[in-house]
């Protein structure tokens, strides 16, 4: 494995980390948090 291959591998790792972080951020902000906020308080949940 020469220097070019190692740089390519490092670049792919960095890109995959960024895509994973952005995907997680999107899912949390657009899916999970709205579901939590839309939940109505019931007998098992304290009123907030």
């Amino acid at each position: 494995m020469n220097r070019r291959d190692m740089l390519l591998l490092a670049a792919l790792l960095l890109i995959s980390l960024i895509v994973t972080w952005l995907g997680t951020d999107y899912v949390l902000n657009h899916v999970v948090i709205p579901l939590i906020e839309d939940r109505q308080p019931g007998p098992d949940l304290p009123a907030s």
Side-chain angles (χ1 to χ4, degrees):
M1 184 179 269
N2 60 17
R3 181 181 171 99
R4 182 179 155 266
D5 292 338
M6 292 181 76
L7 285 174
L8 182 61
L9 186 62
L12 288 174
L13 179 63
L14 182 62
I15 289 170
S16 66
L17 285 172
I18 291 171
V19 168
T20 302
W21 178 75
L22 289 175
T24 304
D25 192 50
Y26 178 82
V27 168
L28 282 175
N29 288 335
H30 294 90
V31 177
V32 176
I33 291 175
L35 286 175
I36 292 172
E37 289 175 348
D38 288 344
R39 188 160 184 199
Q40 299 297 323
D44 59 339
L45 293 175
S48 54

